[in-house]
Amino acid sequence: LKNRIFLSPEVLDVSSVTVKNSKINSPYSDYKVSYLGEDKIVYSSSKETKSFLSTKSIWNNQAYTNLYESSINGDTFTGEVSKLKGSINRFYNESSAVFTKDGKTMYFTRNNHLANKVKTDSLENVLLKIYKARYNGKRWVDIEELPFNSNQYSCAHPALSPDEDYLYFSSDMPGTKGESDLYRVSISDNTYGTPENLGAQINTLGRDTFPFITSENVLIFSSDYRKGQGGLDLYYIDLNSPNKRVYTFSAPINSTSDDFGLVYKVSEGKGFISSNRKEDNVGSDDIYELSGLSIPKLEDLTVMIKSKKGNGVIGNTSVTLSNENNNVLGTIVAINNEVSLKDLDPSKTYRLEVNNEGY
């Protein structure tokens, strides 16, 4: 590591990003937005808590969450909010939906239930399962649970890769290192492969959950174990990058409270996050609209140092890297006439200075 300069800090500065509480929120729990086509979103809510007929959870005395949809224009809600129609919103909590690009298939999270009762494991933990549904042009039908679910562990919060050939999710299945890990499973012709753990580079000993994959194959997720600002914080990793380093966001995306469920459209720089932060909060979990987000695609570069004659340089060679404002980003000594520059932003200009007392 001695001959490497890491240019990008572990925290991406997003201080210029605008985050505002959405008008769609109720006085109860509203969270985890997903895109349905270009002009609709679906989210989870316990907004029916005020209804006398709603079934309440014994844990928070709020109504079990249902899936709702609303029309949007960019990040602005334009239509009435309504429940998704069909064979869903029937059993306890239903949340964290994700949709295929054609809008015909939905994956979502639901409490594991048997004989109209919530199913728990041997330790009385409430279990979650991932289900699949088909849209017939009017409503969601043909509900089926995915084959890697179990009555002994939870699977939740599905997300699709850009090509829809992988389903990412959170689980505490055997092989999990923390409270919950992130996994992915291949999808091919409506068949599913064996779930694979995303590994120690991503997963921690805590909760790693709520994955989302951008159109550029950047995995965004939440974790409560890394050194963040507090509670669940949002992190990201470029799955196309060979370095596979994990970064986090500064405020206002992350706060001292739980921040999760970030989704956004790369082309617009607009999206949504969920948070129980105290600022402007109207419920326990609220949906926040964000704009101005851009995640840079960073590159690594190896610099080889030679003399004019093409030979290697003799003696100690120091290399200083500065930004376009001549602020020093780092100074290192070359090893075997090479230095590695990590996390270069190709859209920026850098200045490289090489010094050796013999030259």
Side-chain angles (χ1 to χ4, degrees), residues 9 17 20 27 76 94 104 124 126 138 147 172 181 188 206 237 267 280 283 300 302 304 318:
V17 170
K20 63 178 181 179
T76 303
E94 286 158 316
K104 295 180 179 179
E124 298 302 315
V126 177
K138 293 183 178 180
D172 59 351
D181 281 2
S188 178
I237 181 172
S267 60
D280 302 322
D300 294 348
T302 298
M304 295 177 290
S318 66

Side-chain angles (χ1 to χ4, degrees), residues 70-338:
S70 176
S71 299
I72 59 169
N73 181 9
D75 61 347
T76 303
F77 295 97
T78 60
E80 294 294 327
V81 174
S82 60
K83 278 186 180 181
L84 291 188
K85 297 178 180 179
S87 304
I88 53 176
N89 293 327
R90 295 174 59 188
F91 301 100
Y92 302 100
N93 289 312
E94 286 158 316
S95 65
S96 300
V98 65
F99 301 86
T100 53
K101 294 174 184 176
D102 62 11
K104 295 180 179 179
T105 302
M106 170 176 61
Y107 298 94
F108 66 99
T109 306
R110 173 189 277 173
N111 283 134
N112 183 12
H113 60 87
L114 185 64
N116 212 27
K117 293 184 178 180
V118 172
K119 180 73 174 177
T120 60
D121 62 11
S122 57
L123 297 177
E124 298 302 315
N125 294 312
V126 177
L127 297 174
L128 301 172
K129 286 186 174 182
I130 298 175
Y131 293 80
K132 178 183 178 181
R134 180 180 63 85
Y135 190 63
N136 67 3
K138 293 183 178 180
R139 59 189 66 246
W140 294 96
V141 297
D142 299 337
I143 310 297
E144 61 180 84
E145 69 169 85
L146 300 191
F148 50 83
N149 286 317
S150 172
N151 291 329
Q152 299 304 316
Y153 55 80
S154 288
C155 295
H157 313 311
L160 284 166
S161 63
D163 295 332
E164 300 181 352
D165 52 354
Y166 281 98
L167 186 75
Y168 289 75
F169 62 98
S170 178
S171 179
D172 59 351
M173 65 175 59
T176 300
K177 303 301 181 183
E179 294 182 49
S180 63
D181 281 2
L182 294 180
Y183 289 80
R184 74 173 187 175
V185 63
S186 61
I187 306 174
S188 178
D189 296 327
N190 292 320
T191 60
Y192 303 88
T194 302
E196 71 178 285
N197 190 294
L198 295 191
Q201 184 72 17
I202 293 173
N203 291 312
T204 67
L205 295 179
R207 288 184 297 161
D208 299 286
T209 185
F210 288 106
F212 169 72
I213 318 294
T214 74
S215 59
E216 295 185 340
N217 211 30
V218 173
L219 167 64
I220 302 175
F221 64 99
S222 287
S223 178
D224 66 356
Y225 190 81
R226 300 171 184 272
K227 293 181 179 179
Q229 296 189 39
L232 285 171
D233 272 358
L234 285 155
Y235 298 84
Y236 71 92
I237 181 172
D238 186 349
L239 298 177
N240 292 331
S241 174
N243 61 43
K244 293 293 187 294
R245 284 192 286 277
V246 174
Y247 304 93
T248 188
F249 302 92
S250 71
I253 287 182
N254 279 322
S255 70
T256 57
S257 302
D258 288 331
D259 306 291
F260 59 99
L262 190 156
V263 300
Y264 92 111
K265 295 182 178 180
V266 174
S267 60
E268 300 175 3
K270 296 180 179 180
F272 303 89
I273 60 172
S274 303
S275 179
N276 61 358
R277 63 187 64 185
K278 295 180 175 58
E279 297 86 358
D280 302 322
N281 191 284
V282 298
S284 53
D285 289 317
D286 274 3
I287 293 168
Y288 291 79
E289 302 166 18
L290 65 88
S291 60
L293 176 60
S294 177
I295 298 178
K297 294 187 70 65
L298 305 177
E299 297 180 1
D300 294 348
L301 183 68
T302 298
V303 178
M304 295 177 290
I305 302 164
K306 295 182 179 181
S307 68
K308 288 184 178 180
K309 297 180 180 180
N311 301 321
V313 175
I314 301 173
N316 292 329
T317 302
S318 66
V319 177
T320 298
L321 193 72
S322 304
N323 62 17
E324 55 190 0
N325 298 320
N326 289 325
N327 296 320
V328 175
L329 301 172
T331 299
I332 52 175
V333 175
I335 298 177
N336 296 326
N337 292 306
E338 287 189 3

